[in-house]
Amino acid sequence: GEGVSSIDVKLSPSRYLVKAMVISKLRRVESLPKAFTVMEIPKLLLDIKKTIFYGEPLEIKVRLYPQLGSVIEGILYISYNNSQYISKTFSIVDGEASIILRDLPGSGAMNITVCASVYSITVCNTTMVEVIKPSMSISPTSTTVEVGSSVTYSIAVSPSQRYSIRLSVLQDSSIVSSQSVETDDSGIARLSIKAPSRAGRYTVLAEIPDSGVSANAVLNVIEIVRTIR
């Protein structure tokens, strides 16, 4: 008759040779060795910011582990505030891919899922990104000072967290001076600047760089002529 048997063996990823052997009182029968490879289950790793500002481009870096030399096609699914926003294909080359999304539609929670088919196995990874649209105010909104004097501005950004702020003094869209400051954990920053050396009307622009979030104030610089009697 015919005898069939199966054996489950847990093997680490590697290349193996296997052969069957039947031993009886009369003789020993062996099969020819057969080579096979145990592959590690592939994983998709995501490198992405957990929080971005509205107006800021979002870069999604995808890495396939273990790395394969061939080109793997993947697909990206994004839902925005629980509604389907976009799906697009991309290519993983030498185990890596980079996807840049611009003009995101608004603030809120963004669910990002990346999938790829490797060795007829579909692997996916999912993460969440919060898109924040901060609001900013600057005080005083209008002030008049003498040339070369000091003026202090208070900048408030909501929601409360640390932000990098750039404060620029402009005249006719040309930058006269610029400096940077970081808010505290409450989103508040105070910065003293020196008024320009020429009288005129200036705009003081506070902004989070590359985010589209800004606030401005009017700075009137006057020159006082003093006489000695």
Side-chain angles (χ1 to χ4, degrees), residues 9-19 33-39:
V9 180
K10 292 184 178 180
L11 298 173
S12 300
S14 186
R15 184 170 175 81
Y16 296 90
L17 286 174
V18 63
K19 68 178 181 178
K34 184 177 182 180
F36 70 97
T37 301
V38 176
M39 304 295 296

Side-chain angles (χ1 to χ4, degrees), residues 45-202:
L45 307 178
L46 298 179
D47 182 7
I48 184 172
K49 290 183 178 180
K50 296 299 182 183
T51 303
I52 64 169
F53 295 126
Y54 173 73
E56 178 184 358
L58 174 64
E59 183 177 13
I60 303 170
K61 293 183 179 179
V62 182
R63 186 162 66 91
L64 179 66
Y65 180 83
Q67 178 180 328
L68 299 178
S70 57
V71 177
I72 304 296
E73 297 301 318
I75 187 165
L76 168 70
Y77 301 97
I78 295 182
S79 61
Y80 217 103
N81 295 326
N82 296 320
S83 298
Q84 183 70 32
Y85 168 57
I86 193 175
S87 63
K88 63 181 300 182
T89 57
F90 64 95
S91 298
I92 302 174
V93 181
D94 294 330
E96 296 183 348
S98 179
I99 308 158
I100 297 179
L101 300 177
R102 306 181 188 276
D103 301 324
L104 299 175
S107 59
M110 187 161 50
N111 184 284
I112 297 174
T113 299
V114 173
C115 296
S117 180
V118 185
Y119 303 127
S120 301
I121 302 173
T122 299
V123 291
C124 297
N125 197 352
T126 299
T127 190
M128 295 288 296
V129 174
E130 187 73 20
V131 182
I132 299 175
K133 189 174 185 179
S135 60
M136 178 186 292
S137 63
I138 185 172
S139 178
T141 56
S142 181
T143 190
T144 300
V145 297
E146 191 176 357
V147 294
S149 62
S150 178
V151 56
T152 300
Y153 286 95
S154 178
I155 302 158
V157 186
S158 179
S160 299
Q161 66 175 57
R162 287 188 174 270
Y163 298 90
S164 295
I165 305 295
R166 182 169 59 213
L167 191 73
S168 303
V169 178
L170 303 95
Q171 187 176 48
D172 299 328
S173 300
S174 297
I175 297 177
V176 178
S177 64
S178 181
Q179 51 188 303
S180 298
V181 66
E182 188 173 272
T183 69
D184 58 21
D185 291 333
S186 300
I188 304 296
R190 290 177 178 83
L191 183 64
S192 295
I193 64 172
K194 187 176 182 181
S197 57
R198 295 178 59 183
R201 180 183 174 92
Y202 297 84

Side-chain angles (χ1 to χ4, degrees), residues 5-46:
S5 178
S6 63
I7 302 174
D8 292 330
V9 180
K10 292 184 178 180
L11 298 173
S12 300
S14 186
R15 184 170 175 81
Y16 296 90
L17 286 174
V18 63
K19 68 178 181 178
M21 180 184 301
V22 178
I23 302 176
S24 69
K25 293 181 179 180
L26 299 177
R27 60 175 179 167
R28 183 174 70 179
V29 179
E30 295 183 7
S31 68
L32 293 175
K34 184 177 182 180
F36 70 97
T37 301
V38 176
M39 304 295 296
E40 184 172 355
I41 297 175
K43 300 176 183 177
L44 285 176
L45 307 178
L46 298 179

